[in-house]
Amino acid sequence: MRSIWNGSISFGLVTIPVKTYSATDRTSSVSFVRIHEKDGAQIQYRKICELDGEEVPNEEVGKGYQPPGDDIIVPVSDDELSRLPVPTSKTLTILSFVDPAEIDPLQLDKAYYLGPNGAAATKPYALLREALEHHRKVAIGKVAMRGRESLAMLRAYEGAIVMHALLWPDQIRPAAGVAPEEVQIRENELSLAETLMDSLGELDPTELHDEYREAVEELVAAKLEGEEPVAPAAPRPSARVIDLTAALEKSVRAAREGRTEAAEGEAESASVTPIRGRKAAEKAAAKKTPAKKAAAKKSGTARSTATKSAPAKSTAKSTAKKSTASKTAASKTAATKSAAAKSAAKSAAKKSAGQKSTAKRGTAKKSG
């Protein structure tokens, strides 16, 4: 790697000469060029002077400072900047050592590797690195790089010292008006949210990659081959869940099922490494296996019980039908007997009336 800044670290009365290297690489990200859509030619950006309208070569381009709210631009040369009375122009001055948790991630800016510059710097460099790692602290200081002074944080990382440029506190905007007002959160909702956090498992950094860049590369390759770009699959419409608790429960189930499928995939193919980590997936699979057995056992018992109860239900229905038929027949028989009794009673009454009429006639004849 090529160093981009040479200076030193001031650690009390100890001075450590260092070289600075960029710790990040953004060239792998997608970058587009401007083109003229009519003919596909690339558009060039030229430096044009506002006074004479002519193009200015790079060797004639300098620096100027425009005070806020003023139209005047004051020319400033690199030589004048190098002679500024700033003690941090070539030295990173350590101000204090603090706990890493005291640094707000919002302040973190670009990262750099610091390496010893020369054999004499090796031992004090290693001493500072070991002290940072053993004491579990980070160093806070100030440094001037690339025409500006900024805060810096030093920490130990994989045998090296990393410097993070920090934003000044007044560069962090307040969050006023962003967060919602007081919201009532139920205990079960908070518990489900924490369960979901635990269910997602561990993160495997080796599985993280830029899918957007890969898609762009595939698109460009297809166009170079004269092929039509493959249309992306339409996303599945997701049902809108109004109930937050139901949404959390569904998310927890999906996360656990995903971890179980990942664990099964690992068992079938050793080359597959799930993004959520193997330990978490194995734990989920171990928890789910007894549950599956218990569910299968319950299912078998339920089926057996249903099979046994089916004849019983059939017998009960048959008995009920026979009982109903018997009652109907009995009631018909009773009705028939009652009708016969009434008919006999009527017949006896008629005979009695006839006998009385005959007796009356005989008495009348005798009296005549």
Side-chain angles (χ1 to χ4, degrees):
M1 289 188 291
R2 184 177 63 87
S3 64
I4 60 175
W5 181 83
N6 294 345
S8 60
I9 300 174
S10 176
F11 176 30
L13 297 178
V14 179
T15 300
I16 310 171
V18 293
K19 289 185 176 183
T20 306
Y21 309 90
S22 180
T24 58
D25 182 14
R26 298 186 180 183
T27 58
S28 60
S29 60
V30 175
S31 179
F32 298 99
V33 296
R34 301 282 183 174
I35 64 170
H36 187 194
E37 292 185 349
K38 185 177 181 180
D39 51 22
Q42 185 173 347
I43 298 175
Q44 297 182 357
Y45 291 90
R46 299 179 179 180
K47 300 176 179 67
I48 305 298
C49 178
E50 291 185 357
L51 289 179
D52 54 24
E54 295 182 0
E55 185 177 354
V56 180
N58 288 332
E59 57 270 17
E60 295 182 10
V61 177
K63 295 179 181 177
Y65 181 78
Q66 185 176 9
D70 201 337
D71 295 335
I72 300 175
I73 299 177
V74 181
V76 180
S77 65
D78 291 336
D79 183 60
E80 290 173 335
L81 292 174
S82 64
R83 289 187 282 109
L84 288 175
V86 180
T88 58
S89 58
K90 282 293 183 180
T91 303
L92 192 157
T93 305
I94 295 178
L95 303 176
S96 65
F97 294 88
V98 301
D99 191 277
E102 296 182 27
I103 306 301
D104 194 321
L106 281 175
Q107 288 187 260
L108 295 178
D109 203 358
K110 191 170 173 58
Y112 304 88
Y113 288 129
L114 299 182
N117 189 5
T122 303
K123 188 169 183 178
Y125 176 92
L127 175 62
L128 176 59
R129 178 199 63 201
E130 292 298 320
L132 290 171
E133 192 168 25
H134 184 267
H135 205 42
R136 296 181 180 178
K137 298 284 186 178
V138 295
I140 302 298
K142 293 196 301 181
V143 63
M145 289 178 60
R146 297 185 172 184
R148 66 187 64 185
E149 186 181 55
S150 64
L151 287 173
M153 180 185 76
L154 302 182
R155 67 184 180 96
Y157 175 77
E158 294 187 356
I161 296 177
V162 175
M163 179 182 74
H164 292 271
L166 300 179
L167 300 175
W168 296 98
D170 60 357
Q171 291 179 301
I172 305 299
R173 295 177 176 177
V178 177
E181 297 179 357
E182 292 186 6
V183 180
Q184 295 295 329
I185 302 296
R186 292 181 292 181
E187 187 66 28
N188 65 325
E189 293 172 343
L190 181 61
S191 177
L192 282 170
E194 294 174 349
T195 303
L196 177 58
M197 294 167 66
D198 296 334
S199 300
L200 290 178
E202 301 173 358
L203 182 66
D204 187 357
T206 60
E207 289 294 317
L208 300 178
H209 55 93
D210 190 347
E211 296 182 3
Y212 181 75
R213 184 190 67 190
E214 295 174 357
V216 170
E217 291 174 349
E218 291 178 2
L219 170 65
V220 172
K223 292 177 75 69
L224 288 175
E225 295 292 332
E227 301 175 358
E228 287 293 329
V230 179
R236 293 183 301 174
S238 56
R240 185 181 178 187
V241 182
I242 305 299
D243 188 358
L244 179 59
T245 303
L248 289 169
E249 292 175 347
K250 187 176 181 180
S251 300
V252 170
R253 288 196 300 270
R256 288 175 175 172
E257 290 173 1
R259 287 165 52 193
T260 305
E261 291 175 0
E264 293 174 355
E266 279 187 356
E268 294 176 359
S269 175
S271 62
V272 178
T273 304
I275 193 171
R276 295 191 175 93
R278 299 180 179 178
K279 292 182 180 180
E282 289 173 357
K283 288 180 181 179
K287 288 180 180 179
K288 198 163 185 179
T289 302
K292 284 184 176 180
K293 290 182 179 178
K297 189 174 181 180
K298 287 182 179 179
S299 176
T301 306
R303 289 177 182 175
S304 175
T305 305
T307 305
K308 290 179 180 179
S309 63
K313 289 181 179 180
S314 177
T315 304
K317 289 181 179 179
S318 176
T319 305
K321 288 181 179 180
K322 289 180 179 180
S323 176
T324 304
S326 175
K327 288 180 179 179
T328 304
S331 103
K332 287 181 178 180
T333 304
T336 304
K337 288 182 177 180
S338 175
K342 288 181 179 180
S343 177
K346 288 181 179 180
S347 176
K350 287 180 178 180
K351 288 181 179 180
S352 176
Q355 290 176 357
K356 287 181 179 181
S357 177
T358 305
K360 284 182 180 180
R361 287 176 182 174
T363 306
K365 286 180 179 181
K366 287 179 181 181
S367 63

